[in-house]
């Protein structure tokens, strides 16, 4: 019985089987139980011997069963642990990461450049008072030049700014000239009532710049624009100024840069002229200085307004300004500087 029992336990290869064997060997209907039950029929001196022997076998089988059960449970646990193991050395699943919008990249680059030249960066509000957007920039009501910038009005005296130039007036008003010249750029979004097409958008960006101090000349303007053009488009570029008109500058100019991509007459960017128009600028109009409480007999300077949208289109050959605002990731990820 002992041999057979131990053998059966050894053969059991899962926990259910071990349980069955236990019931069979040690249960109420098992052989050992009936031996123990039959003890009352034995003689007095046989009884202790048989009893002792039967108990020994029972203990031995119990121990064997317990050992087998522990063994199988451990095997089950080991298998489970092995199946659930995590290999921490495996490479992770890459997480898609964003990047600054291409227009923001241009603005960031300009900010870095101008901060390096001692300018401060001042950010204005997209919702602006009409007086700052027009009157204080020498554009009184009914001035025909207001038509150049068709405007979204919020109330009769509050509007979506059509240009970043209101920051010229705001900063001139605030600046303490006893501490040195005003040197400021102001990047941001502007709005005009235009019908969107490949070259027009009702929202776009500008970076305003203004330098006003005691001996600021037009040559300083040209030199500054040259630094900007060379920083963004290439070392060799030259700048040329053509007469133009803005109410808040006198004289006013349009600045052209030499075409950096020129293949002669067939050039798609400059149409074979060798020059690309990039921004508007001029010497700050005495009226603008006066209205901001700055004495035009003592102080003067230049201002410019450039368009990051136009710069990005030129730099990367983007043909439709609307691409910047549709947020199609296939378009935007082309400008991922992480490569
Ligand atoms: N604000 C002008 C525009 O939007 C650009 C400009 C700025 C011109 C500063 C001259 C000086 O067209």
């Amino acid at each position: 019985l002992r041999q057979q029992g131990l053998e059966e336990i050894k053969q059991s290869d899962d926990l259910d089987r071990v349980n069955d064997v236990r019931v069979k060997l040690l249960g109420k209907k098992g052989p050992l139980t009936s031996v123990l039950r039959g003890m009352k029929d034995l003689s007095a001196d046989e009884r202790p011997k048989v009893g002792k022997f039967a108990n020994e076998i029972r203990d031995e089988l119990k121990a064997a069963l317990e050992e087998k059960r522990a063994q199988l449970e451990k095997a089950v646990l080991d298998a489970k642990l092995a199946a659930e193991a995590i290999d921490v050395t495996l490479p992770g699943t890459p997480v898609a990461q964003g990047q600054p919008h291409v227009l923001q990249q241009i603005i960031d680059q300009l900010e870095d450049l101008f901060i390096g030249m001692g300018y401060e960066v001042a950010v204005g509000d997209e919702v602006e008072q009409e007086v700052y957007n027009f009157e204080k920039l020498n554009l009184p009501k009914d001035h025909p030049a207001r038509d150049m910038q068709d405007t979204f009005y919020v109330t009769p005296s509050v509007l979506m700014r059509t240009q970043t130039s209101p920051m010229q007036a705001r900063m001139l008003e605030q600046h303490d000239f006893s501490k040195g010249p005003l040197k400021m750029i102001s990047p941001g979004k502007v709005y005009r009532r235009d019908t969107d097409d490949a070259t027009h958008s009702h929202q776009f960006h500008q970076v305003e710049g203004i330098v006003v101090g005691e001996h600021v000349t037009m040559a300083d303007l040209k030199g500054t624009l040259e630094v900007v053009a060379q920083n963004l488009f290439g070392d060799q570029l030259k700048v040329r100024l053509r007469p133009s008109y803005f109410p808040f500058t006198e004289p006013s100019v349009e600045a052209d840069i030499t075409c950096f991509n020129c293949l002669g007459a067939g050039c798609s960017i400059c149409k074979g002229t060798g020059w690309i128009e990039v921004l508007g600028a001029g010497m700050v109009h005495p009226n603008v200085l006066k209205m901001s409480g700055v004495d035009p007999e003592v102080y003067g300077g230049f201002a410019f307004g450039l368009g990051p949208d136009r710069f990005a289109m030129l730099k990367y050959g983007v043909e439709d300004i609307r691409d910047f605002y549709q947020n199609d990731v296939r378009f935007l990820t082309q400008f991922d500087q992480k490569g």
Side-chain angles (χ1 to χ4, degrees), residues 74-292:
K74 181 168 182 302
V76 169
L77 184 62
D78 285 350
K80 200 170 162 195
L81 286 176
E84 289 175 3
I86 294 168
D87 182 351
V88 293
T89 65
L90 282 175
T93 319
V95 179
Q97 235 193 348
Q99 92 271 355
H101 191 283
V102 57
L103 295 177
Q104 191 60 48
Q105 291 176 24
I106 300 253
I107 290 171
D108 288 346
Q109 192 178 339
L110 286 165
E111 284 187 12
D112 284 351
L113 176 69
F114 278 103
I115 288 169
M117 296 192 292
Y119 287 58
E120 63 182 301
V121 178
V123 178
D125 293 327
E126 290 172 23
V127 179
E128 182 56 282
Q129 293 173 38
E130 186 183 38
V131 279
Y132 282 99
N133 196 84
F134 290 130
E135 268 89 343
K136 285 171 188 273
L137 296 174
N138 203 28
L139 265 145
K141 277 204 171 36
D142 303 325
H143 191 293
R146 284 204 186 193
D147 295 347
M148 281 162 62
Q149 301 182 0
D150 216 350
T151 309
F152 288 119
Y153 279 87
V154 178
T155 72
S157 59
V158 175
L159 45 73
M160 303 305 291
R161 65 176 176 190
T162 60
Q163 49 189 353
T164 44
S165 303
M167 285 305 280
Q168 289 187 29
R170 286 185 175 277
M171 295 304 283
L172 281 170
E173 278 179 0
Q174 283 172 28
H175 189 72
D176 177 355
F177 283 88
S178 70
K179 301 217 166 90
L182 169 66
K183 296 170 77 179
M184 180 278 300
I185 61 162
S186 182
K189 218 187 263 178
V190 302
Y191 300 84
R192 288 185 199 178
R193 279 184 52 188
D194 263 328
T195 306
D196 291 4
D197 62 25
T199 54
H200 295 85
S201 170
H202 63 281
Q203 62 168 17
F204 56 102
H205 291 74
Q206 285 189 339
V207 176
E208 195 77 13
I210 184 168
V211 174
V212 171
E214 269 175 76
H215 304 285
V216 185
T217 70
M218 203 146 183
D220 297 323
L221 168 62
K222 194 176 178 202
T224 304
L225 296 180
E226 225 151 50
V227 170
V228 173
Q230 293 178 353
N231 182 266
L232 266 124
F233 297 108
D235 298 344
Q236 308 301 321
L237 293 189
K238 294 203 173 10
V239 170
R240 129 182 130 170
L241 303 179
R242 276 182 296 108
S244 182
Y245 173 75
F246 298 103
F248 32 90
T249 46
E250 181 57 36
S252 301
V253 295
E254 304 267 359
D256 297 342
I257 59 171
T258 42
C259 188
F260 49 85
N261 192 30
C262 207
L263 306 169
C267 179
S268 61
I269 297 184
C270 71
K271 314 260 178 332
T273 63
W275 294 94
I276 314 168
E277 180 190 324
V278 287
L279 54 83
M283 302 309 287
V284 180
H285 197 293
N287 287 351
V288 173
L289 295 173
K290 253 185 257 167
M291 280 186 277
S292 300

Side-chain angles (χ1 to χ4, degrees), residues 99 102 323 326-336:
Q99 92 271 355
V102 57
D323 286 338
Q326 277 160 356
N327 288 334
D328 183 332
V329 287
R330 290 169 302 183
F331 173 78
L332 295 176
T333 51
Q334 295 180 93
F335 308 101
D336 190 344

